[in-house]
Amino acid sequence: MTRKTVLVVLLISIGLTAFSQTEIPKAQRLKWWQDAKMGLFIHWGPVSRVGKEISWSREGYGKARYDSLYLGFNPVAFNAKEWVALAKASGMRYMVLTAKHHDGFSLFDTKTNDYSITHTPFGRDVCKELAEAAHEAGMPIGWYFSVADWKDPDCRNPQTNGIFAERVLEQVRELLTNYGKIGLLWIDYEGWPTPVEPKKVYDLARKLQPEIIINNRLEPFTPDESHAYLGQYADYATPEGFVAGYGKVPWETCTNMGHQWAWKFGDEPRSLKESLHTLLRCVGGNGNLLFNIGPDSTGAFPADFAARAREMGDWIEKKQTAIYNTRGGVFTPASDYVSSYRGSQVFLHLLNADKNQLILPAIPAKITGAKLLDGTPMSFTQNTKTITLTFPADKIDPIATIAVLTLDKKAATLSPTVPLPASGSLAYAHKATASSAVGQFYHDAGAAFDDNPKTAWKIGRRKDVDFASYYGKNLHYQSPEIMALYEPSGWLEVDLGKPELVGRVKLSETSYGQSEIRKFEVLYLKGNKWVSLAEGTKMGDWDKTITRVKAQKFRLAIQDYHGYFGVNEFQLFPPAE
């Protein structure tokens, strides 16, 4: 080998090493997923033999009985190519399979234990076959993976949890080494701190699959955090079972087409309208939808669920321009509409088939044209306060009618524009701050001022706690030890932008079981001093007329509470005439 050849080889080696050490930016890794909008979630395992919920039914069904179901699991109708074909026909652009749920059963050929699909009568590696079929069809594939294992006695055992953690890391290594390119890793949280250090899982996954995206459930200590908290080792948030409104951070709602994650006797799919509205509200909220269908014990998707999924795909195919490769906004979701955009076009989705006119808030851009998605011209008016869109009455779609608005600038340059106020609260959509909060959206300070009862501000973590020291501990989120990790008091503040005359305060609380706000106070800022307006010992739905006061900043101080509360709305109203 000549000196020149040696030099070339050395330079290539250095270049490859540098490339392998280059971190792929999060936005770049997330782009394909944010463009895809909807994926197929598949919860499946031996529990489908009895039609009960995966993992969560283990205690009630009997642990020994549940753990032995795999001995008769023989899904002879499983056909990976048919699963992928259904996902594609349904408009779903990625797939996520429960490689291992909390019950510890693996749908892949793990070498770490015998509780897996390869030790059933079926004997075939489901993950291998599905990954191969997905790769062949150009369908991104991801694995759901629980870092916990309710069957393994080493999990969170003070003496042996370290051994368990190494076993989990080996399972992650298997899943991300043996099945080609894996698009995402969907970690789950089940009520206790993760038994494996989040950094070890995250770093291993990123090392083995540099382009992979990973959800936010490695670090949570509560269900609320699992929905909304984006920590250091997370790429996107995962609200569950509901659509969370609008989020500037990447997020994905996971929910069921039916009424149980795993297959269930007698279950029925949600209507086409509800299914599609769930998708469109995710798209308009700047998020994704991971829509779950559970196969039965033979490995086939129920016929009525498969038919509903294909109906969704048929509808989406005609409207795909307004769905895929878009971002949510510029108009944030309202009861009657959502919107998405690409370039200088905004797609306005009318969700109320009983209306053919919408009044929207003004935006700092000129609308140069309006038409339906099929090209039918629309009339509109625009002024400094509102935009009025009139949809042709004979063109109303019973699911959603989509208008295309062309702007004189790129939609991405505009800030998200909230719906016109519905409650009349002076605090609606104004600048909100808090002493702490759970997550960056859905439970942030702004959630209490959005006229949306589905969102709520929730008090956040203490600053003086080493949360990492709790990983691997057998402490449920309802235990006093975990509850004590959150701020014992806090405040929520709104700036009205200018002094306003206020004569009534309305508060509403979300609570779970016995959790509640036990002492609170409403204050206003007078000069440099906070002055009390009213106080209470139980919030619930609290509505109080107060001595009228003119101020710009108001604060709700939470002085005592129990459990995990949420403040849905903090509303301020002018005095009654």
Side-chain angles (χ1 to χ4, degrees):
M1 184 180 290
T2 65
R3 291 177 62 188
K4 183 176 180 181
T5 303
V6 171
L7 179 60
V8 170
V9 171
L10 180 60
L11 289 173
I12 292 174
S13 176
I14 292 172
L16 288 174
T17 301
F19 177 78
S20 67
Q21 294 175 347
T22 301
E23 180 81 8
I24 300 173
K26 180 187 290 190
Q28 183 178 328
R29 289 187 287 112
L30 283 166
K31 186 179 184 304
W32 72 267
W33 172 81
Q34 290 180 302
D35 288 345
K37 296 304 174 193
M38 180 168 64
L40 176 60
F41 212 3
I42 305 169
H43 280 68
W44 192 45
V47 73
S48 60
R49 294 181 59 204
V50 293
K52 295 187 178 296
E53 186 57 286
I54 192 167
S55 299
W56 298 100
S57 66
R58 182 173 178 261
E59 187 84 25
Y61 186 69
K63 294 178 182 178
R65 291 175 67 202
Y66 185 101
D67 295 345
S68 64
L69 286 171
Y70 82 108
L71 297 173
F73 188 46
N74 190 20
V76 293
F78 169 68
N79 185 310
K81 290 186 177 182
E82 289 180 2
W83 281 21
V84 174
L86 175 64
K88 295 193 77 168
S90 305
M92 298 166 179
R93 295 198 166 182
Y94 57 101
M95 301 174 72
V96 180
L97 173 69
T98 52
K100 180 175 78 85
H101 209 272
H102 311 315
D103 59 12
F105 181 79
S106 298
L107 285 172
F108 61 102
D109 183 19
T110 179
K111 306 304 181 186
T112 62
N113 60 45
D114 293 339
Y115 191 43
S116 70
I117 190 68
T118 52
H119 292 85
T120 66
F122 188 61
R124 288 155 44 192
D125 187 334
V126 168
C127 287
K128 180 176 185 291
E129 294 184 26
L130 186 61
E132 288 176 349
H135 294 322
E136 183 180 326
M139 171 74 74
I141 184 73
W143 305 133
Y144 165 110
F145 182 79
S146 174
V147 288
D149 187 332
W150 295 346
K151 183 176 180 292
D152 193 321
D154 292 328
C155 180
R156 300 190 178 97
N157 183 315
Q159 283 72 48
T160 57
N161 187 71
I163 297 171
F164 171 77
E166 289 303 315
R167 193 150 54 240
V168 169
L169 292 171
E170 181 56 30
Q171 291 169 348
V172 172
R173 189 184 305 278
E174 291 172 332
L175 282 169
L176 301 184
T177 301
N178 299 336
Y179 303 103
K181 184 175 181 179
I182 303 302
L184 64 87
L185 184 61
W186 209 102
I187 302 293
D188 205 0
Y189 163 82
E190 29 74 82
W192 289 260
T194 173
V196 190
E197 291 179 42
K199 186 179 189 302
K200 290 185 177 181
V201 178
Y202 187 84
D203 286 353
L204 177 61
R206 296 297 315 283
K207 176 184 177 182
L208 297 174
Q209 298 274 350
E211 296 181 52
I212 202 168
I213 60 175
I214 302 170
N215 71 339
N216 68 319
R217 297 197 178 188
L218 277 169
E219 297 166 87
F221 279 71
T222 69
D224 290 332
E225 287 193 341
S226 76
H227 299 155
Y229 177 70
L230 268 179
Q232 186 176 358
Y233 307 111
D235 294 320
Y236 62 97
T238 51
E240 181 173 327
F242 52 84
V243 180
Y246 185 88
K248 294 180 181 179
V249 299
W251 63 271
E252 170 193 74
T253 279
C254 60
T255 193
N256 282 300
M257 180 182 283
H259 303 84
Q260 183 171 281
W261 293 110
W263 177 84
K264 177 182 179 181
F265 286 105
D267 201 6
E268 295 181 352
R270 301 182 191 276
S271 69
L272 178 63
K273 182 175 182 178
E274 183 180 357
S275 298
L276 285 167
H277 277 199
T278 301
L279 169 62
L280 295 178
R281 288 201 172 277
C282 289
V283 171
N286 202 36
N288 279 33
L289 173 63
L290 190 57
F291 214 21
N292 181 77
I293 307 175
D296 63 24
S297 62
T298 72
F301 289 103
D304 51 349
F305 281 76
R308 174 71 75 247
R310 290 191 178 94
E311 280 184 286
M312 289 182 68
D314 290 342
W315 190 91
I316 292 168
E317 185 177 10
K318 301 179 182 68
K319 321 286 185 181
Q320 60 180 295
T321 302
I323 297 172
Y324 302 123
N325 307 308
T326 65
R327 296 295 178 266
V330 295
F331 303 99
T332 64
S335 58
D336 289 336
Y337 67 83
V338 299
S339 73
S340 54
Y341 70 84
R342 183 191 313 105
S344 59
Q345 288 189 323
V346 175
F347 305 99
L348 203 295
H349 307 246
L350 173 64
L351 303 180
N352 187 343
D354 295 327
K355 298 180 70 171
N356 75 320
Q357 190 175 82
L358 281 179
I359 300 177
L360 306 170
I363 56 174
K366 182 180 179 181
I367 299 174
T368 61
K371 61 184 178 180
L372 293 184
L373 198 59
D374 67 2
T376 303
M378 289 179 59
S379 62
F380 71 95
T381 59
Q382 181 179 19
N383 57 45
T384 57
K385 293 184 177 180
T386 61
I387 299 164
T388 301
L389 296 179
T390 302
F391 292 75
D394 61 343
K395 289 281 190 172
I396 299 298
D397 187 302
I399 304 296
T401 309
I402 303 175
V404 184
L405 310 180
T406 301
L407 309 182
D408 65 349
K409 61 180 66 174
K410 297 290 186 182
T413 64
L414 305 179
S415 298
T417 302
V418 300
L420 293 168
S423 67
S425 171
L426 297 169
Y428 172 68
H430 279 288
K431 181 182 178 182
T433 53
S435 55
S436 63
V438 170
Q440 294 84 352
F441 89 121
Y442 179 58
H443 293 321
D444 63 337
F449 303 99
D450 61 0
D451 280 359
N452 182 354
K454 295 182 179 179
T455 63
W457 167 67
K458 302 209 171 193
I459 208 160
R461 296 180 171 193
R462 285 168 48 185
K463 309 292 192 299
D464 59 344
V465 172
D466 178 15
F467 277 78
S469 67
Y470 286 82
Y471 295 132
K473 298 289 182 65
N474 191 18
L475 295 171
H476 191 261
Y477 74 91
Q478 291 179 325
S479 67
E481 293 90 343
I482 296 298
M483 288 185 179
L485 302 181
Y486 293 82
E487 296 285 359
S489 61
W491 52 262
L492 178 63
E493 183 181 315
V494 63
D495 183 339
L496 302 183
K498 63 179 181 177
E500 297 278 8
L501 190 61
V502 174
R504 177 176 159 229
V505 180
K506 187 176 181 181
L507 306 169
S508 59
E509 174 190 6
T510 295
S511 60
Y512 302 96
Q514 298 301 310
S515 60
E516 59 183 14
I517 297 171
R518 294 176 171 175
K519 187 178 180 182
F520 63 93
E521 186 176 15
V522 179
L523 309 99
Y524 70 98
L525 187 62
K526 184 178 181 180
N528 295 319
K529 182 180 179 182
W530 287 99
V531 180
S532 179
L533 270 177
E535 57 186 18
T537 56
K538 185 175 182 180
M539 184 176 290
D541 290 320
W542 190 85
D543 194 338
K544 191 174 182 66
T545 299
I546 59 171
T547 301
R548 60 180 61 193
V549 61
K550 192 169 188 178
Q552 181 172 327
K553 293 184 178 182
F554 291 80
R555 178 177 284 189
L556 170 64
I558 306 299
Q559 297 160 336
D560 187 29
Y561 70 92
H562 172 74
Y564 300 103
F565 72 88
V567 177
N568 295 95
E569 294 297 327
F570 176 12
Q571 297 175 321
L572 304 171
F573 298 93
E577 294 296 333

